[in-house]
Amino acid sequence: MIDTLPQYRIQAHWRNIARSVNLATALFFAVEWLLRLYSAQNPVKYIFNPLSILDLLGIIPGFVYFTNDNANFLGRAKWLRALQVLRVLRVLRLTEYSVELYVTIRTLRKSLFQIVVVMMVIVILLLTACFLMFFAENDSLDIEKVQWLRKNHGVTEVSPFQNVFFCLYWGFVTITTVGYGDYTPVSPWGQVIACITMFMGVFTIVFPTSIISNNFSSEWDAFHKAQKIHEQRVLQQEYQHKRRDLERV
């Protein structure tokens, strides 16, 4: 994170330190990845495991030399270097040790299909709202400047909704209840469409949240039931062992 600060990138000694730390980190994770590969029962299966592939993609950029052309931000290989962010996803390996994270991952998997269905409906409604907004806000086309124009309180101005892609940006910002305010409708019908889109934004939060919370509750209860059954089996086995020992005596 500190390496992204411009005041540090223009200092040669900081670039050397950052490169050394980056290389040491890459070496550490590379050794750890190779040890996991060596100890795996099925090395081929481990290599093609999604988490292993993410680890490898996060390690490889650490061994690549990056230019420090200030005019080119992070150099020609900046997008390759961005793959190092994938190291953060190593936290998913904690599912082997954290019960809460394990239940959360199971909940997301269980909720995936339901969320996809809800999102498809929302996307359809969002596209409809964006097309309606485009036609509601744009009045005429300036052929010379190739720009759509609209009337704002009787004054003709350039419309911010130049095409449906601009409207999609407005739609995503509105339906997620963020509301930057950089694109705003001024026509009566455009404002009506905006109000309906904002009302739809409530459902984008309510539906996925309710689906995930219900599934998390059921998964958590199922986990505790399985844990109690396991504890009862262990106690029953210990009781049987003690009973056999007493019978032998």
Side-chain angles (χ1 to χ4, degrees), residues 115-128 200:
I115 292 176
V116 168
V117 172
V118 173
M119 287 302 172
M120 286 179 62
V121 175
I122 292 173
V123 167
I124 293 172
L125 295 175
L126 177 63
L127 288 173
T128 304
M200 288 165 46

Side-chain angles (χ1 to χ4, degrees), residues 124-248:
I124 293 172
L125 295 175
L126 177 63
L127 288 173
T128 304
C130 290
F131 276 101
L132 292 176
M133 179 61 70
F134 175 78
F135 290 112
E137 283 296 306
N138 297 321
D139 295 323
S140 60
L141 177 64
D142 188 341
I143 300 177
E144 295 181 358
K145 296 182 180 180
V146 194
Q147 291 179 335
W148 286 99
L149 303 177
R150 69 176 182 180
K151 291 183 179 180
N152 185 3
H153 300 289
V155 179
T156 302
E157 64 179 12
V158 178
S159 173
F161 303 96
Q162 287 297 311
N163 52 55
V164 176
F165 298 103
F166 284 81
C167 296
L168 278 173
Y169 166 75
W170 165 86
F172 278 112
V173 171
T174 304
I175 204 169
T176 54
T177 67
V178 176
Y180 288 129
D182 47 355
Y183 291 177
T184 55
V186 294
S187 66
W189 283 111
Q191 292 173 350
V192 170
I193 296 169
C195 292
I196 297 174
T197 307
M198 286 184 277
F199 183 74
M200 288 165 46
V202 177
F203 293 97
T204 39
I205 298 174
V206 171
F207 279 131
T209 303
S210 60
I211 291 171
I212 293 174
S213 60
N214 290 333
N215 288 334
F216 182 84
S217 179
S218 61
E219 286 291 330
W220 190 255
D221 292 339
F223 172 78
H224 277 289
K225 289 179 181 178
Q227 191 177 28
K228 288 180 180 179
I229 293 173
H230 177 71
E231 291 176 354
Q232 290 176 357
R233 288 178 180 176
V234 172
L235 291 174
Q236 189 175 5
Q237 290 177 358
E238 291 179 355
Y239 173 76
Q240 290 177 355
H241 286 305
K242 290 181 180 180
R243 184 176 180 180
R244 290 174 184 174
D245 293 339
L246 290 173
E247 288 177 356
R248 292 176 183 177

Side-chain angles (χ1 to χ4, degrees), residues 34 57 75 111-112 176 204:
L34 291 173
L57 290 176
S111 308
L112 183 60
T176 54
T204 39

